[in-house]
Amino acid sequence: MELKDRDTFFLDLDKTVWNWDSPVIGAQDLIDTLREKNRDVYFHTDNNLLSREGYAKKLSSMNIPAEEDDIITSGYVTAQILADRNINSVYVIGEQGLIDELEKEDIKIYQDADTVVVGLDRQFNYEKLRKAMKILKNGGNLIKTSTEKTFRKSSGERPHQEPINRALETYTDIVETTGKPSEAFRDEFRNYFTYIPTGSAFIGDRIADIRTGKQLGMMTGVVMSGDTDRKQLAQLDDDRQPDFGLTNLNRLKRNIL
């Protein structure tokens, strides 16, 4: 089945659809075109600055209409996993979007919990590190919602979550990842969305996106406006190569029509 025959598209947000405060050139036009052609469009992200509801509002404010159920975040995935394990309190290093997803599952934020959940935190500081260290050195678990190194605003790149992860990993070997391309993310993704893998395409800017889409049985595409460039793609093994690469989303539209 060719790309033009796919009826469901899963798009990453950061550096694929937007640069946080502005849409990537061609993103709105592509999504409008897909929907006009009766294709389903959904979104995935490991950035938990906002909740699914917050991302739906942010997309809609950029003239890309979206509902909460159109979006999956690794914060949502984390909340589901914790709820399934009957873990009802965690210490969080992260911002309101991550906290909102946890609180929707009645998971309390408690500084003496046995589990540390970490997301991107633009107010990360020594005191937060000290509290997390205490939990981790006492045998607590660490759950990382992303391994991304940078995210991008229209004014330039910013640090993402990975430097914070590395600080916390100083104090524990008990580490779990719930972002892409983890098994946890894939399992919740399958539960969350209704789709036929062979009729779907999974698109993002990272090798983690390629791996996730392949493991979900979909056609995969990488947009080389983000973390992956031609040189990196050339170095990938054949079984990790995306089905297609794009310099921008405008080219994807041409391949679909």
Side-chain angles (χ1 to χ4, degrees), residues 77-114:
V77 170
T78 304
Q80 300 309 302
I81 290 170
L82 293 170
D84 289 345
R85 296 174 184 172
N86 295 316
I87 297 174
N88 55 23
S89 67
V90 296
Y91 178 63
V92 174
I93 293 176
E95 298 195 25
Q96 195 61 47
L98 178 56
I99 292 169
D100 287 347
E101 293 291 357
L102 295 170
E103 289 183 340
K104 285 182 180 180
E105 295 300 324
D106 294 324
I107 298 167
K108 309 300 182 186
I109 312 305
Y110 181 51
Q111 69 178 27
D112 292 322
D114 295 327

Side-chain angles (χ1 to χ4, degrees), residues 45-253:
T45 183
D46 282 356
N47 186 331
N48 292 293
L49 292 180
L50 299 177
S51 64
R52 290 168 298 138
E53 179 183 3
Y55 280 123
K57 292 178 180 177
K58 188 175 181 67
L59 282 162
S60 298
S61 74
M62 294 182 178
N63 294 316
I64 302 173
E67 302 292 334
E68 180 177 343
D69 290 343
D70 296 336
I71 303 151
I72 191 169
T73 72
S74 57
Y76 168 84
V77 170
T78 304
Q80 300 309 302
I81 290 170
L82 293 170
D84 289 345
R85 296 174 184 172
N86 295 316
I87 297 174
N88 55 23
S89 67
V90 296
Y91 178 63
V92 174
I93 293 176
E95 298 195 25
Q96 195 61 47
L98 178 56
I99 292 169
D100 287 347
E101 293 291 357
L102 295 170
E103 289 183 340
K104 285 182 180 180
E105 295 300 324
D106 294 324
I107 298 167
K108 309 300 182 186
I109 312 305
Y110 181 51
Q111 69 178 27
D112 292 322
D114 295 327
T115 299
V116 177
V117 174
V118 57
L120 173 57
D121 189 335
R122 292 169 294 183
Q123 288 77 46
F124 181 62
N125 58 34
Y126 186 86
E127 184 61 17
K128 292 180 180 181
L129 179 60
R130 185 191 67 79
K131 290 176 180 177
M133 180 195 74
K134 179 181 177 182
I135 295 169
L136 298 174
K137 292 194 74 172
N138 286 331
N141 301 321
L142 175 61
I143 295 179
K144 305 185 295 185
T145 63
S146 177
T147 58
E148 292 193 71
K149 297 177 181 178
T150 62
F151 88 108
R152 184 182 298 154
K153 300 181 71 173
S154 56
S155 57
E157 284 193 322
R158 301 288 190 275
H160 207 298
Q161 181 181 326
E162 183 62 6
I164 303 174
N165 293 341
R166 294 186 182 184
L168 298 175
E169 287 168 342
T170 302
Y171 303 109
T172 183
D173 295 321
I174 308 171
V175 182
E176 180 177 1
T177 303
T178 54
K180 297 171 284 187
S182 69
E183 183 178 359
F185 187 93
R186 299 194 310 271
D187 286 347
E188 290 299 332
F189 188 99
R190 293 186 186 100
N191 293 332
Y192 192 76
F193 291 114
T194 300
Y195 65 99
I196 299 173
T198 54
S200 304
F202 196 93
I203 299 166
D205 71 295
R206 294 192 295 148
I207 293 172
D209 294 311
I210 301 169
R211 290 180 59 191
T212 303
K214 282 185 172 294
Q215 291 163 345
L216 288 168
M218 300 187 209
M219 176 180 278
T220 59
V222 64
V223 180
M224 289 176 283
S225 57
D227 283 357
T228 307
D229 57 27
R230 293 183 187 276
K231 182 178 179 181
Q232 289 171 304
L233 286 179
Q235 295 172 344
L236 295 177
D237 298 334
D238 289 344
D239 61 351
R240 298 173 65 198
Q241 286 283 346
D243 294 293
F244 59 91
L246 304 161
T247 54
N248 58 60
L249 291 179
N250 281 329
R251 291 190 176 274
L252 180 59
K253 177 182 173 180

